[in-house]
């Protein structure tokens, strides 16, 4: 069992996942700091000197002056300003990940047939949709088609 666990843990994809989680956590902290310390203060200033992290709704009849004071006294609050900060941090993180994945997918994409000198797609003789050269059945109309000459 120890040997199996060692083989599992030393496989490349497990180690890659562990590294990705660590880097992701560090990057999340950077994005949170970017939102809380750099982006939101100027936005708050433009909106009339508003500190988003101090925006809350007091759910009790006891008056409090800040989120920290409410937490210290155990008073329930809806901290919508902190939620706004978290949503903005999430959107920035999602945008960055979108661009990273988009770049990786662009690198992985198969070169167009003009660059490789090989044709990878052909037209279905029945429905005229594009199908892979090696296909024997059209995925669009399900007609049986012959594989292209020299393929399959």
């Amino acid at each position: 069992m120890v040997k199996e666990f060692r083989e599992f843990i030393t496989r490349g994809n497990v180690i890659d996942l562990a590294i990705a989680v660590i880097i992701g956590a560090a990057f999340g902290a950077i994005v949170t700091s970017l939102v809380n310390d750099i982006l939101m203060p100027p936005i708050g200033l433009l909106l009339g000197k508003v500190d988003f992290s101090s925006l809350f709704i007091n759910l009790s009849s006891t008056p409090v002056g800040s989120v920290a004071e409410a937490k210290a006294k155990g008073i329930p609050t809806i901290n919508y300003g902190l939620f706004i900060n978290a949503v903005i941090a999430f959107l920035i993180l999602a945008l960055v990940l979108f661009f990273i994945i988009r770049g990786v997918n662009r690198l992985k994409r198969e070169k167009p047939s003009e660059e490789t000198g090989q044709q990878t797609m052909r037209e279905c003789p029945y429905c005229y949709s594009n199908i892979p050269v090696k296909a024997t059945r059209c995925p669009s109309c399900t007609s049986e088609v012959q594989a292209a000459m020299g393929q399959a």
Side-chain angles (χ1 to χ4, degrees), residues 57-83:
I57 297 172
N58 187 348
L59 297 177
S60 74
S61 58
T62 307
V64 289
S66 69
V67 173
E69 183 182 342
K71 284 185 181 181
K73 292 182 177 180
I75 295 173
T77 59
I78 296 176
N79 304 320
Y80 66 91
L82 294 173
F83 179 74

Side-chain angles (χ1 to χ4, degrees), residues 72-142:
K73 292 182 177 180
I75 295 173
T77 59
I78 296 176
N79 304 320
Y80 66 91
L82 294 173
F83 179 74
I84 291 170
N85 286 353
V87 168
I88 292 172
F90 170 78
L91 291 174
I92 291 171
L93 194 58
L95 183 68
V96 169
L97 289 175
F98 167 75
F99 284 123
I100 289 171
I101 291 171
R102 183 176 174 209
V104 168
N105 287 342
R106 189 172 286 158
L107 291 174
K108 284 184 177 180
R109 240 182 241 144
E110 192 175 307
K111 292 181 181 177
S113 58
E114 297 85 35
E115 292 180 21
T116 61
Q118 292 182 335
Q119 186 177 359
T120 59
M121 300 297 281
R122 64 185 170 121
E123 194 173 78
C124 172
Y126 301 101
C127 69
Y128 303 105
S129 63
N130 284 331
I131 61 173
V133 171
K134 294 181 180 181
T136 57
R137 187 174 292 274
C138 176
S140 298
C141 69
T142 68

